[in-house]
Amino acid sequence: MTAASSPVPAAFPAAGTVRAGARPTLLLLENVDKVFGRGVVALRDMSLEIRRGDFISLLGPSGCGKSTALRLIAGLIQPSRGRVRWEDPEAAATLGVVFQEPTLMPWATVAANVWLPLRLRGRSRRTVQPLIAETLEMVGLAGFERAYPRELSGGMKMRVSIARALVTRPRLILMDEPFAALDEITRFKLNNDLLAMRAKFDCTVIFVTHSVFESVFLSDRIVIMAARPGRVIRELAVDEPYPRSDSFRTSAGYVAHCRAASEALAAAMEGAAHAG
Amino acid sequence: MTLAERAGPAPAATPAAVIDAEEAARLRAERRERIGRWLLPAAVFVALIGSWQAYVTLAGVPHYVLPGPVLVAETLVRDFGTLAPSWWATLRVSLLALLLAVIGGGGLAILFAQSRWIEMSLFPYAVVLQVTPIIAIAPLIFIYIDSHTARVLFIAWIVAFFPILSNTALGLKSSDHNLRDLMSIYRAGRWQRLRHLELPAALPYFLGGLRIAGGLSLIGAVVAEFAMGSGGKAAGLAFRILEASYRLNVPRMFAALILIVLTGIAIYLAISALSWLLLHRWHESAVRRER
Ligand SMILES: Nc1ncnc2c1ncn2[C@@H]1O[C@H](COP(=O)(O)OP(=O)(O)O)[C@@H](O)[C@H]1O
Ligand SMILES: [Mg+2]
């Protein structure tokens, strides 16, 4: 019932699918260091195995290298030491990303924004129209195709951003504190919807957050990180079945996992304070 | 229970729109402002023209010193046959110079955006070209360029291209860094980045530069005509002003001046309309604030 703390990820069936045995590995971080410019150690010796169907949260205080880890995975920066090994090239090629800001093109309509990843691969609007419509429907934005981003609320913009990440039908999605700027009601709604979308698309998610509650609600593994230098302190498994709904938020299991994660996080920060 | 009690019975039917005194005052002020925006400048215009005419008539000022607005208007109509070709000549030079400024300034900005090294190497020279008083190099241009049209165009172009270059260069660099990362993640090529991200992001900046360059191209055309003389049948409005001044035809000087001013206003309005057309769906500067 309480979060099992272990460096080895608990084998757990992916949402919506039950596979026999261990799920295939998508991606491995192997002893990755990242040192910036004048000696800022953003990440030290990070190792992480990401398996098909995982929902992994990177949880930690700001400055602990969460964004850096995502940028390494996305290939935007290269490790100073160690390596990022893709076991599934298809996942690398279709990668979806959601940032903290919706990061939409203000000059383009909702549909054109969602079209972008496909457009960059030379797909014409007409051939992918059904895909765009389906994806927008999925994130709850059917009927907003022609709206411009400035006409939408913060939560809706984030939905467009998620639709854009999903439109390539990626195997892996990276999300960097996507809901941190939203109000709590909207955030809860988006958390629920995100789990539903993931079940539907059967994709793997690496989700950065600094909210213990969010990480417990969403993920099946929580990677707790500490700052200065940025590093992984602990991994917690949240062995609660999907689908999870609002009732999960009030369950005893949820509370126990939140306590375990909070304690681990507090210990991580204390350790960091002693180390620093 | 307590909540329901405190809320009392549900209001039967909320009256559709009760506008309180403050809101009503705000709406009135808004309407006054809308009207005032047009009415006040128009009133100032009428007052100025009226007092100008009154002064000229009452003080008996001779028309070769200061013609009244009525005489100027008459001259404008009477001499329109002479002035129209010159007007067209000036307008053509201005618009052509503006077009070249867009191509030259925009093209150079895009080139700069491709390589920091090119930008570092060339940008200082664009600044030098900009800060050199054009009238000081006009005699050199007269020596090195043979064609009158080319001379005038060249001068107007130098005056107009810099705002477009510097604004567009800034705009091309101003695109959202997360969007740039997204382009990298989706493996967009150089050209795709430009087409889908940098150019649209630079559009508002470019249009700001264009608005300045529009006025400058007309100024450049007029200055060039003053500096370069008539050039035969392609004489512009500036040449008509000089010519009229030699003949002490002051009313015609005013008439030509009015045409120049009207041209400037027309260029400004046209570019503003273009900006609005291109930006009103999405850019903050062109979006009417809903309060
Ligand atoms: N491009 C960069 N250059 C220099 N230092 C950086 C850069 N990016 C991040 N850092 C530093 O690396 C550390 C980790 O940053 P980041 O990964 O953004 O943390 P988080 O996302 O967990 O808040 C911070 O100390 C930050 O200042
Ligand atoms: Mg971050």
Side-chain angles (χ1 to χ4, degrees), chain A residues 108-178:
Chain A
T109 60
V110 165
N113 266 289
V114 174
W115 177 31
L116 179 75
L118 300 171
R119 193 181 192 184
L120 291 173
R121 294 181 190 171
R123 308 287 300 278
S124 79
R125 177 81 169 261
R126 209 159 35 80
T127 59
V128 296
Q129 190 58 49
L131 197 56
I132 295 173
E134 188 195 348
T135 312
L136 281 173
E137 164 99 52
M138 189 73 53
V139 300
L141 283 179
F144 286 92
E145 285 80 358
R146 291 154 165 276
Y148 281 80
R150 63 167 195 87
E151 298 163 341
L152 306 179
S153 69
M156 289 160 89
K157 281 186 208 159
M158 200 38 93
R159 286 172 187 274
V160 179
S161 194
I162 293 171
R164 179 180 58 195
L166 287 174
V167 80
T168 57
R169 299 294 181 264
R171 294 209 178 152
L172 177 62
I173 297 193
L174 310 178
M175 304 181 90
D176 193 351
E177 303 192 29

Side-chain angles (χ1 to χ4, degrees), chain B residues 29-80:
Chain B
E30 241 171 50
R31 204 170 60 229
R32 268 203 304 274
E33 195 177 312
R34 256 202 318 277
I35 298 170
R37 200 178 295 283
W38 290 102
L39 202 61
L40 290 180
V44 168
F45 180 77
V46 169
L48 271 178
I49 298 289
S51 41
W52 176 7
Q53 184 65 49
Y55 169 68
V56 168
T57 313
L58 297 177
V61 183
H63 65 75
Y64 51 84
V65 175
L66 178 64
V70 174
L71 180 57
V72 170
E74 278 170 11
T75 312
L76 186 56
V77 173
R78 184 158 28 80
D79 292 358
F80 196 72

Side-chain angles (χ1 to χ4, degrees), chain B residues 10 17 30 36 40 61 78 83 85 102 113-114 118 142 150 154-155 175 179 182 198 212 217 228 232 250 253 263 268:
Chain B
E30 241 171 50
L40 290 180
V61 183
R78 184 158 28 80
L83 292 176
V102 167
Q114 305 313 300
I118 298 178
F142 194 86
F154 185 65
I155 291 179
S175 51
L179 275 174
L182 203 68
E198 289 161 358
I212 301 170
S217 68
M228 293 298 152
V250 181
M253 291 171 74
T263 309
Y268 182 85

Side-chain angles (χ1 to χ4, degrees), chain B residues 182-205:
Chain B
L182 203 68
M183 290 284 171
S184 304
I185 288 166
Y186 290 131
R187 299 179 189 159
R190 203 36 270 180
W191 166 247
Q192 287 181 315
R193 261 168 208 273
L194 191 65
R195 159 85 185 71
H196 297 300
L197 175 58
E198 289 161 358
L199 286 180
L203 186 64
Y205 294 79

Side-chain angles (χ1 to χ4, degrees), chain B residues 88-249:
Chain B
W88 172 236
T90 300
L91 186 63
R92 208 187 45 181
V93 168
S94 304
L95 294 183
L96 226 57
L98 187 59
L99 182 70
L100 292 178
V102 167
I103 296 170
L108 215 51
I110 290 172
L111 184 69
F112 286 1
Q114 305 313 300
S115 154
R116 288 281 302 148
W117 299 104
I118 298 178
E119 176 174 5
M120 280 188 253
S121 315
L122 297 185
F123 196 77
Y125 298 99
V127 175
V128 167
L129 212 55
Q130 162 71 8
V131 298
T132 309
I134 191 65
I135 208 76
I137 49 173
L140 287 173
I141 291 169
F142 194 86
I143 294 173
Y144 296 130
I145 302 181
D146 283 333
S147 148
H148 174 78
T149 315
R151 286 173 189 156
V152 174
L153 261 182
F154 185 65
I155 291 179
W157 176 78
I158 288 184
V159 176
F161 97 102
F162 189 77
I164 294 188
L165 168 65
S166 66
N167 273 29
T168 311
L170 180 65
L172 288 171
K173 279 188 276 192
S174 72
S175 51
D176 182 291
H177 66 100
N178 280 335
L179 275 174
R180 269 184 272 167
D181 283 351
L182 203 68
M183 290 284 171
S184 304
I185 288 166
Y186 290 131
R187 299 179 189 159
R190 203 36 270 180
W191 166 247
Q192 287 181 315
R193 261 168 208 273
L194 191 65
R195 159 85 185 71
H196 297 300
L197 175 58
E198 289 161 358
L199 286 180
L203 186 64
Y205 294 79
F206 165 79
L207 288 167
L210 187 67
R211 205 182 287 220
I212 301 170
L216 286 180
S217 68
L218 178 64
I219 292 175
V222 169
V223 166
E225 284 167 13
F226 274 128
M228 293 298 152
S230 89
K233 61 179 168 31
L237 282 176
F239 177 74
R240 292 290 164 224
I241 291 180
L242 279 180
E243 182 192 55
S245 85
Y246 295 145
R247 296 178 189 169
L248 276 182
N249 189 345

Side-chain angles (χ1 to χ4, degrees), chain A residues 2-41:
Chain A
T2 45
S5 126
S6 84
V8 185
F12 197 80
T17 54
V18 180
R19 290 191 190 80
R23 289 163 285 132
T25 303
L26 274 189
L27 169 72
L28 287 163
L29 299 192
E30 295 176 332
N31 308 99
V32 169
D33 280 8
K34 182 66 195 179
V35 182
F36 282 112
R38 305 204 168 84
V40 180
V41 182

